[in-house]
Amino acid sequence: MEGIVGAKLLHGSSEVETSKALQGGVVALYFSAHWCPPCQGYTPQLKKVYERAKREGKLFDVIFVSSDRDEASFRQYFASMPWHAVPFSDRAKEQALKMIYQVRGIPSVVLLDGATGSLVDANGRGKVMEPGFVASLPTTQDLALAKLPSPEGPVPVTIYHHGREYEIECEPDEGYEMLRMQIFSVTDIPAEQQRLFGLGQAKGVLNEQVPLPRALVRAMAAQKNTGYKVAGVPKEARKASSNEFPEEQWHAAGGVLTSDPGWGWVHKSKDDNPWYQMDLQEVRKVAGVVLRAGADHVAWVKKFRVCTATTEEGPWDAVDAGREFSGLSGLMLPEVRAIFESPVETRFVRIECLPGGLDRRSLRADVLLADDKDQDKPPTIVVLGNFSADDPFENMEAAQDNAQTKMIEEQHLAMLQAKLSNAQPRLQNQVNSLQGVQRYESRALQKQALAEIPVLGIDESARSSSESYELAFMRGLLRWYKHDFFSWCNAPKCEHCSSGNTKTVGATQPTREEQYFLAGNVEVAQCNLCGLQTRFPRYNDPGKLLETRTGRCGEWANCFTLLCRALGYEARHVHDWTDHVWTEIFSDSLKRWVHADSCEAALDAPLMYEKGWGKKLTYVIAFARDHVIDVSRRYTQKFDDLLPRRTEFSEQELQRVLGAISEFSTDRSLVQVPEATASQRRAALERRAKEEQDQLLGRSQEAKEVKAEEQVGRTSGDAEWRSQRGELGATAAAKEKALELSETGLEGSSAPSSAAKAEPEKAPASRDPQAAAKQRFAELVASGLSPNEAALQVIQDLRLCSTRGLGTAGTD
């Protein structure tokens, strides 16, 4: 690379040697300038890609090649960049690079092979923004493993499938086809239906472009040091510098490695030198320590030292001369085994947390003993097929679109439009929601989604659960998604100074690029620190959301439903017309559809909106790729109480329109499916529809018992925002619990107090009925109703409330 960009580069205000600054992998030459408006918009987006690549340990470097008009402008612009730059004084180099790579305009990105300098892509500006770009980048481990020799002879491999364990012997030279045949022989999953994960690859489906012998080398390297035995230090032999949780929770788990549900130790925020200590009861020969993430906290120990002592009073000696060990990088990722350069004889082992990450850090830990080391564990593969036996589509190869298929789909759409020609516009618009769920069927998009999911870690947690595998896996997926993947955005961070002190001040039209990713509108936030503005596009493209990983309930549910489909769940995207969105998955073990709210990490808690949040639901419509259904009855304890609020159209009209849309979606989904398979699917849909109808009618006829987690107010979003929406809680106890669980979501909920169970639902006494009615009127108009329709609805709500003695119910 020195021959291309020169021997010296800038990093910040310092000059560095190019040979030491670049890691190899992929290098992006970024041609840009401070005076260029498109560049000012592109640079923050490139910065996000760069930071994500670094966060995931990818080998990706960026070198800024400036087209600024003077050095002062260059330095001002470069100060906002975290990467390297060609020195501004070397204008000849800038001109030479533009000529070599034929750069005609800015911003422009040229991608190079960091090891050889060869050209990868001369027009990389769009490529680096693709959702799958970061996943395609190599890691340091990839380069190191390429130098190791291939295994000789068969390699034992452990296969995990839906909670069951199998052993096979894999011949490296026989390739993936034979491996899949072996997996079929023990799991009965046909080769073409197998999703394979593992062999040392922490996330994503197995990359079969890597030759199997190299994949096995990687897998054996990942299992290195797994033969050391875990000491199993009991909870009473553990202590810490401080503990965030109550004493009873410390005794329940306290960071024990195998604790269930995986509670970790968390130190207090004001503890400047946190440590976690384990007592072996006697002097033992220690090989190292093992760390896992706690499931109850969103920050982990990322850097640490280990100290040992033979008595608790000390002296304490730092292992390996104070060596800094790399810690945990995320929830559901493989455990970290920190092995010392040589075993240490000691009784007390102390993990000292080093600065980094949030002000409180969490871990589960134990000690690895050096004596009686077993053989390292064999490489592992997790096999996922289809979570639903009735679903024939999951792993079928996507048929190619052709003219005949498109013609049939257009005919179906024309017939649907004719059927709906007399329906109200809002009902006709429900057809558009089918486009969203159809995007989840893209095999390329599903592959991008699977590249993000730590399937091995979720599988391990599901295998140790007493629940059915499909539900335990879903619970783990929800936990990981909420705590380690997606983030809530009240207002975006400032893209100029990275401050979180911003406030939404308005909205604007999306750019062409934002429209490409289906952003219908863009919110604008102003930084209270630097005064500059940041755009927050409300993307509807689930592939783009895999990259941005932030938003509110719409973005959360959109991206999460894609992940469910990618993993093999049958999934629905559920629209609540009082402004919320979530997912449903089909459970073969329960033989019904199950509610899953990724914002709340909630599973099978359908009454939470009515009983916990205090929402006055009206219409709840679920969209799958091959059917559409009104599921409102699932989300209310008494449908007769909800029914008077459903006044936009008659129940008969609603069912007629949804039936027509559902029939269209079924026909469209089966166009490219063999006739026998299509007949089986139709029969399954008809059987399920009847069973679901019976279940929903049963729910409406009985007063179902309300679960503890359904008596909690909304936990996602800041408290002021939740309160303004009237969703913080239906009761005082629900609000209190919602505030308590704002970080964990409903997975951290426990049974409410007796006061919470006894307290009746009532509207706040301090609410002014006139003001509430005005607020309700404004909300209805904003939802698309005419002023006359909104006024009639408010009057009806007030009449309904007065008959129940509930004051101003319905104003949320």
Side-chain angles (χ1 to χ4, degrees):
M1 289 299 298
E2 293 95 324
I4 297 173
V5 298
K8 300 279 188 178
L9 293 172
L10 286 180
H11 190 262
S13 59
S14 304
E15 266 196 355
V16 295
E17 294 181 23
T18 302
S19 59
K20 295 180 180 179
L22 304 182
Q23 302 174 292
V26 175
V27 174
L29 301 181
Y30 178 40
F31 298 85
S32 183
H34 186 265
W35 52 262
C36 167
C39 297
Q40 292 178 8
Y42 187 82
T43 298
Q45 302 306 314
L46 180 60
K47 185 177 178 181
K48 291 176 184 177
V49 173
Y50 176 83
E51 290 173 344
R52 180 184 167 198
K54 292 300 182 185
R55 188 168 61 245
E56 297 186 9
K58 301 291 187 175
L59 297 179
F60 181 53
D61 289 297
V62 178
I63 301 174
F64 172 40
V65 184
S66 174
S67 295
D68 286 300
R69 293 168 179 144
D70 55 69
E71 186 153 0
S73 298
F74 160 77
R75 291 197 173 277
Q76 180 183 357
Y77 192 29
F78 183 50
S80 68
M81 301 177 182
W83 44 69
H84 299 86
V86 172
F88 185 79
S89 57
D90 194 350
R91 307 314 292 156
K93 180 64 67 179
E94 181 243 350
Q95 292 298 323
L97 290 172
K98 282 186 174 180
M99 184 176 298
I100 292 171
Y101 299 110
Q102 300 181 5
V103 176
R104 300 282 186 259
I106 56 175
S108 183
V109 175
V110 175
L111 299 178
L112 305 176
D113 185 313
T116 65
S118 59
L119 180 65
V120 175
D121 194 330
N123 300 296
R125 175 180 167 181
K127 184 172 184 177
V128 297
M129 295 298 162
E130 293 175 359
F133 174 72
V134 172
S136 71
L137 295 169
T139 65
T140 305
Q141 182 192 42
D142 294 332
L143 300 184
L145 292 176
K147 302 175 183 178
L148 295 179
S150 297
E152 296 182 2
V155 176
V157 176
T158 301
I159 305 295
Y160 293 108
H161 171 60
H162 282 209
R164 295 180 291 274
E165 181 178 335
Y166 310 92
E167 301 291 337
I168 65 171
E169 284 198 341
C170 177
E171 289 285 354
D173 295 334
E174 291 183 346
Y176 290 102
E177 185 176 356
M178 181 58 70
L179 173 62
R180 287 182 178 276
M181 291 179 65
Q182 288 181 278
I183 292 172
F184 169 67
S185 70
V186 294
T187 66
D188 291 332
I189 302 177
E192 67 275 8
Q193 296 184 5
Q194 298 168 7
R195 295 180 183 84
L196 305 183
F197 305 83
L199 288 188
Q201 188 176 313
K203 294 190 294 185
V205 288
L206 205 55
N207 181 6
E208 296 185 22
Q209 292 182 347
V210 177
L212 184 57
R214 305 312 308 161
L216 289 168
V217 168
R218 179 186 62 207
M220 290 187 288
Q223 297 293 75
K224 188 177 180 180
N225 297 319
T226 55
Y228 286 115
K229 294 181 179 179
V230 176
V233 178
K235 56 191 174 188
E236 58 269 15
R238 298 164 180 259
K239 63 166 46 178
S241 56
S242 65
N243 182 32
E244 180 68 20
F245 295 126
E247 191 68 19
E248 60 269 20
Q249 185 162 328
W250 170 266
H251 289 304
V256 176
L257 196 67
T258 57
S259 62
D260 186 20
W263 285 340
W265 161 70
V266 182
H267 66 81
K268 290 185 178 295
S269 58
K270 294 182 179 180
D271 187 349
D272 295 330
N273 298 293
W275 50 263
Y276 184 82
Q277 180 178 304
M278 293 166 283
D279 179 4
L280 295 170
Q281 308 295 313
E282 61 180 345
V283 174
R284 303 286 299 272
K285 187 178 288 188
V286 174
V289 294
V290 55
L291 274 66
R292 289 181 185 167
D296 55 340
H297 203 262
V298 297
W300 305 280
V301 175
K302 295 186 175 181
K303 297 286 183 181
F304 66 95
R305 280 193 296 264
V306 179
C307 294
T308 61
T310 54
T311 65
E312 192 167 7
E313 293 75 23
W316 289 87
D317 298 318
V319 170
D320 296 346
R323 174 183 168 192
E324 185 178 286
F325 291 97
S326 294
L328 301 159
S329 58
L331 188 62
M332 299 293 181
L333 290 179
E335 65 187 19
V336 170
R337 291 182 169 240
I339 305 300
F340 307 154
E341 291 180 0
S342 57
V344 176
E345 293 193 357
T346 187
R347 172 178 171 177
F348 294 91
V349 177
R350 180 177 288 183
I351 296 172
E352 296 183 349
C353 309
L354 300 177
L358 300 181
D359 58 352
R360 292 180 299 163
R361 279 144 285 171
S362 169
L363 59 73
R364 293 185 290 157
D366 215 311
V367 175
L368 297 173
L369 301 176
D371 40 4
D372 299 327
K373 181 177 182 288
D374 292 333
Q375 284 188 336
D376 288 337
K377 296 177 182 178
T380 61
I381 295 176
V382 171
V383 183
L384 293 183
N386 188 349
F387 281 101
S388 175
D390 284 334
D391 189 353
F393 303 106
E394 286 303 335
N395 299 292
M396 294 174 59
E397 289 297 322
Q400 295 295 318
D401 286 338
N402 54 59
Q404 183 179 4
T405 297
K406 291 180 178 179
M407 182 182 69
I408 295 173
E409 289 189 0
E410 289 173 359
Q411 290 173 348
H412 286 163
L413 182 58
M415 288 188 290
L416 176 64
Q417 290 170 339
K419 289 180 180 180
L420 303 186
S421 59
N422 295 325
Q424 292 190 26
R426 190 168 189 185
L427 282 178
Q428 292 186 36
N429 289 339
Q430 298 308 300
V431 178
N432 297 332
S433 298
L434 286 177
Q435 292 299 110
V437 295
Q438 283 300 315
R439 294 188 195 102
Y440 306 142
E441 303 309 305
S442 163
R443 292 298 181 263
L445 202 55
Q446 289 184 9
K447 186 175 181 180
Q448 291 172 14
L450 291 173
E452 306 293 346
I453 305 172
V455 168
L456 275 69
I458 299 175
D459 170 80
E460 183 180 7
S461 70
R463 279 188 275 118
S464 61
S465 172
S466 58
E467 270 188 308
S468 68
Y469 181 84
E470 60 181 350
L471 294 178
F473 194 98
M474 175 54 60
R475 205 174 293 280
L477 181 69
L478 283 163
R479 180 181 298 154
W480 163 78
Y481 187 82
K482 180 173 178 65
H483 293 318
D484 198 24
F485 187 72
F486 227 75
S487 65
W488 189 268
C489 180
N490 293 300
K493 271 187 177 181
C494 177
E495 64 186 13
H496 307 282
C497 69
S498 299
S499 169
N501 186 10
T502 61
K503 183 178 181 179
T504 301
V505 294
T508 187
Q509 293 298 311
T511 64
R512 183 176 299 178
E513 182 179 357
E514 290 163 345
Q515 287 176 332
Y516 178 79
F517 294 111
L518 307 179
N521 66 296
V522 177
E523 297 176 11
V524 178
Q526 186 156 341
C527 180
N528 294 322
L529 191 63
C530 72
L532 297 177
Q533 292 186 339
T534 297
R535 300 169 66 89
F536 176 32
R538 303 300 304 275
Y539 292 119
N540 286 299
D541 182 338
K544 185 65 174 177
L545 295 175
L546 290 172
E547 174 195 327
T548 61
R549 303 183 183 187
T550 191
R552 302 193 195 111
C553 62
E555 290 92 343
W556 277 67
N558 190 354
C559 188
F560 185 75
T561 308
L562 168 63
L563 298 187
C564 293
R565 291 294 300 119
L567 285 164
Y569 287 96
E570 281 196 72
R572 291 169 169 172
H573 196 235
V574 184
H575 299 195
D576 157 29
W577 286 20
T578 61
D579 196 21
H580 192 49
V581 198
W582 59 85
T583 307
E584 287 183 348
I585 56 135
F586 190 81
S587 165
D588 274 15
S589 62
L590 297 179
K591 300 187 185 308
R592 62 177 172 84
W593 288 90
V594 176
H595 155 259
D597 190 323
S598 57
C599 299
E600 306 291 292
L603 184 65
D604 204 13
L607 295 181
M608 57 185 268
Y609 309 112
E610 181 179 82
K611 298 301 180 183
W613 296 19
K615 286 175 76 71
K616 305 302 178 184
L617 299 172
T618 55
Y619 301 92
V620 182
I621 313 299
F623 296 86
R625 62 154 184 266
D626 57 5
H627 64 279
V628 179
I629 182 173
D630 176 7
V631 292
S632 305
R633 291 176 184 270
R634 178 173 292 120
Y635 296 92
T636 181
Q637 196 173 29
K638 292 184 178 180
F639 185 71
D640 289 344
D641 291 348
L642 177 150
L643 191 58
R645 296 193 292 271
R646 291 162 62 105
T647 59
E648 294 198 36
F649 18 74
S650 69
E651 293 298 304
Q652 293 79 9
E653 176 70 354
L654 174 66
Q655 295 308 318
R656 182 185 75 82
V657 171
L658 293 185
I661 298 174
S662 186
E663 182 181 357
F664 163 73
S665 65
T666 303
D667 291 341
R668 183 175 66 175
S669 70
L670 298 174
V671 166
Q672 302 182 56
V673 176
E675 185 175 348
T677 303
S679 297
Q680 292 175 359
R681 180 60 176 174
R682 287 185 189 277
L685 289 174
E686 290 172 4
R687 185 191 75 248
R688 281 189 189 174
K690 184 179 184 306
E691 292 171 351
E692 185 169 22
Q693 186 70 7
D694 292 342
Q695 293 164 3
L696 295 180
L697 287 173
R699 173 176 286 280
S700 69
Q701 293 167 355
E702 301 175 24
K704 295 290 185 182
E705 182 179 351
V706 183
K707 303 173 186 176
E709 59 268 31
E710 293 173 325
Q711 300 180 61
V712 180
R714 184 169 191 161
T715 66
S716 53
D718 69 32
E720 181 181 0
W721 180 80
R722 286 178 270 165
S723 181
Q724 288 174 350
R725 290 170 58 92
E727 296 172 350
L728 187 55
T731 66
K735 292 177 182 178
E736 181 181 355
K737 198 67 178 176
L739 293 172
E740 177 188 336
L741 299 175
S742 291
E743 286 191 11
T744 64
L746 289 190
E747 66 170 299
S749 65
S750 57
S753 65
S754 57
K757 295 177 182 178
E759 183 177 347
E761 286 191 78
K762 59 183 180 181
S766 59
R767 175 171 285 175
D768 175 20
Q770 186 175 2
K774 289 180 178 179
Q775 178 185 342
R776 176 64 170 159
F777 176 83
E779 290 172 349
L780 291 170
V781 172
S783 72
L785 294 184
S786 70
N788 286 340
E789 291 171 331
L792 289 172
Q793 180 67 59
V794 171
I795 291 170
Q796 187 169 358
D797 286 349
L798 291 173
R799 285 174 178 168
L800 176 65
C801 297
S802 64
T803 62
R804 298 182 193 163
L806 295 181
T808 56
T811 58
D812 289 345

